Amino acid sequence: MDFKDYNGVWVFIEEKDGVISQVSLELLGAGRKLADKRGVELAGVIIGENIKQLSHTIFEYGADKAYVYDQSIFKHYRTESYMRALLECTNKYKPEIILFGATSTGKDLASAVATDLPTGLTADTTELDVDEETGLLLASRPAFGGNIMATILCKKYRPQMATVRAKVMKALDPQSGRRGTIIEEEIQLKEDDIRTKVLEIVEATTKKVRIDEADIIVAGGKGLGSSEGFHLVRELADVLGGAVGASRDVVEAGWIEHPHQVGQTGVTVTPKIYIAIGISGAIQHIVGMKNSSLIIAINKDPEAPIFNTCHYGIVGDAFEIVPLLMDQFKTA
Ligand code: FAD
């Protein structure tokens, strides 16, 4: 197949209330590297209402171009309307590569767009590179239960598309005043054309710190024995002003909800301090927290694999150690 009409790297820019999500800024950083290697432009696609001014932010974070759909029909994210805009834009300008955050919106939109284009989608990527000669995107992700890294290529079709996990790529330092080209697009779409309607937005009421934004995470595993035992993790997190994380087994036991799960099928986190209590350190957990700046593990089994990853390890019973730590932290 001839791909000479396909050119440039694109990032789908996610925004909420006029603020660009961190993962989109990270993808602009990753996209910039890919674009430089290919000697092509980096563009962001911004869809929403009253969002044109965000173009200047994406230029500061490395984009050369912004494709903007600023229409009231895009006030709220809906798969159908956003998909129609992105499809139209893709068919018109033919990018070589499109990157999305592996967020609920990014995953939803990317898969919807991929089904309508003659191409595939690599989901949940954690490493990106490009082969300079062939232009092939090298999108890598953990496979076979996290035991190997698989690099997935899209040889026969364009664009090459991937969703990318938050916190694994680095945003560039913003260059104030850096400029780019804004291309304003408009799609002929009426409210009646869209089958979903947004009736009400109910904001989450929880005041707890989100694990993907926390500087300190206290995470608990099956070693805490029960939902009551897991309370120890919540208490220590409260004392330290941190967020609560968990292993998958804990989530499956119903001790805490899935947004708190750290790991391959949960969230990837990079806090300043990660305290793992009663977590064995299975590879699927480790891939989600191994880049934390300081990892402290508490486990009663001196052979637990978590001790191969942590910076400081305490061998002992969590029910003895954690109360002692809390006393110390409270008086510190
Ligand atoms: P266990 O492995 O049972 O470990 C409990 C630990 O607690 C042990 O090391 C024990 O020594 C210690 N302990 C017991 N009592 C005490 C005590 N009183 N004080 C101190 N320590 C104590 N897992 C994830 O976490 N995240 C994922 O995203 C994820 N994705 C997966 C995806 C796939 C495809 C698969 C196959 C698995 C996935 N898993 C994931 C599951 C993973 O393989 C492990 O099963 C899981 O992480 C184990 O959870 P755990 O460490 O809480 O429990």
Side-chain angles (χ1 to χ4, degrees):
M1 251 183 125
D2 188 1
F3 300 132
K4 68 176 177 0
D5 292 344
Y6 288 83
N7 197 282
V9 177
W10 285 12
V11 173
F12 168 68
I13 304 294
E14 260 184 68
E15 63 86 32
K16 188 166 186 298
D17 301 329
V19 179
I20 296 177
S21 72
Q22 182 59 29
V23 67
S24 298
L25 301 179
E26 291 163 13
L27 289 191
L28 287 171
R32 182 71 266 163
K33 283 191 196 141
L34 301 180
D36 288 345
K37 263 191 147 177
R38 290 288 295 146
V40 296
E41 281 186 325
L42 171 68
V45 183
I46 318 174
I47 305 172
E49 187 188 39
N50 297 328
I51 40 77
K52 192 177 153 193
Q53 75 288 354
L54 297 180
S55 309
H56 301 291
T57 310
I58 71 164
F59 298 149
E60 291 183 353
Y61 279 88
D64 305 305
K65 231 181 222 171
Y67 294 100
V68 177
Y69 286 82
D70 196 338
Q71 293 173 241
S72 58
I73 199 147
F74 300 124
K75 182 176 167 69
H76 300 297
Y77 173 75
R78 283 178 290 176
T79 316
E80 220 180 335
S81 53
Y82 274 57
M83 177 183 94
R84 297 267 285 270
L86 192 51
L87 275 173
E88 190 184 271
C89 203
T90 303
N91 287 327
K92 189 167 170 187
Y93 294 105
K94 298 190 172 18
E96 244 183 317
I97 295 170
I98 314 180
L99 306 176
F100 303 77
T103 59
S104 35
T105 300
K107 287 182 196 177
D108 182 61
L109 182 62
S111 50
V113 169
T115 53
D116 243 72
L117 289 171
T119 192
L121 170 68
T122 306
D124 252 350
T125 314
T126 55
E127 286 171 23
L128 290 173
D129 203 352
V130 73
D131 185 301
E132 278 162 86
E133 222 170 277
T134 59
L136 278 172
L137 178 69
L138 310 172
S140 305
R141 50 158 298 156
F144 291 105
N147 290 313
I148 60 160
M149 287 296 285
T151 300
I152 297 162
L153 311 178
C154 179
K155 287 188 175 170
K156 293 190 182 161
Y157 307 103
R158 293 291 182 274
Q160 304 164 88
M161 306 214 309
T163 62
V164 184
R165 281 197 169 209
K167 302 253 184 185
V168 292
M169 305 292 160
K170 273 216 156 58
L172 300 173
D173 291 332
Q175 283 180 44
S176 175
R178 188 176 177 278
R179 288 169 195 275
T181 312
I182 301 177
I183 299 172
E184 289 185 67
E185 293 287 335
E186 199 178 327
I187 188 167
Q188 297 308 317
L189 200 58
K190 293 191 293 297
E191 199 50 55
D192 288 347
D193 298 333
I194 310 293
R195 283 167 295 182
T196 43
K197 311 280 169 220
V198 178
L199 301 179
E200 191 187 0
I201 307 261
V202 181
E203 294 291 336
T205 50
T206 175
K207 295 265 186 298
K208 295 284 178 201
V209 192
R210 286 178 42 170
I211 61 167
D212 54 347
E213 292 171 352
D215 280 342
I216 301 176
I217 295 175
V218 183
K222 260 326 238 328
L224 290 149
S226 64
S227 174
E228 292 71 41
F230 191 76
H231 201 67
L232 205 58
V233 173
R234 300 180 196 273
E235 273 181 62
L236 181 56
D238 273 349
V239 170
L240 295 174
V244 177
S247 69
R248 186 173 84 165
D249 289 22
V250 161
V251 171
E252 284 181 348
W255 302 351
I256 196 163
E257 304 83 38
H258 185 260
H260 295 266
Q261 182 180 316
V262 174
Q264 185 189 322
T265 43
V267 184
T268 302
V269 296
T270 51
K272 290 185 182 146
I273 303 176
Y274 189 88
I275 306 179
I277 307 173
I279 292 180
S280 56
I283 182 69
Q284 296 88 356
H285 187 84
I286 300 295
V287 291
M289 44 64 84
K290 65 178 186 325
N291 292 328
S292 307
S293 308
L294 181 74
I295 301 169
I296 301 165
I298 303 168
N299 197 303
K300 68 177 186 187
D301 175 7
E303 303 295 325
I306 190 79
F307 289 127
N308 299 327
T309 303
C310 69
H311 301 98
Y312 294 101
I314 304 173
V315 179
D317 186 337
F319 295 96
E320 287 170 21
I321 310 281
V322 176
L324 292 175
L325 287 177
M326 281 197 283
D327 286 346
Q328 288 297 315
F329 289 135
K330 278 179 193 163
T331 52

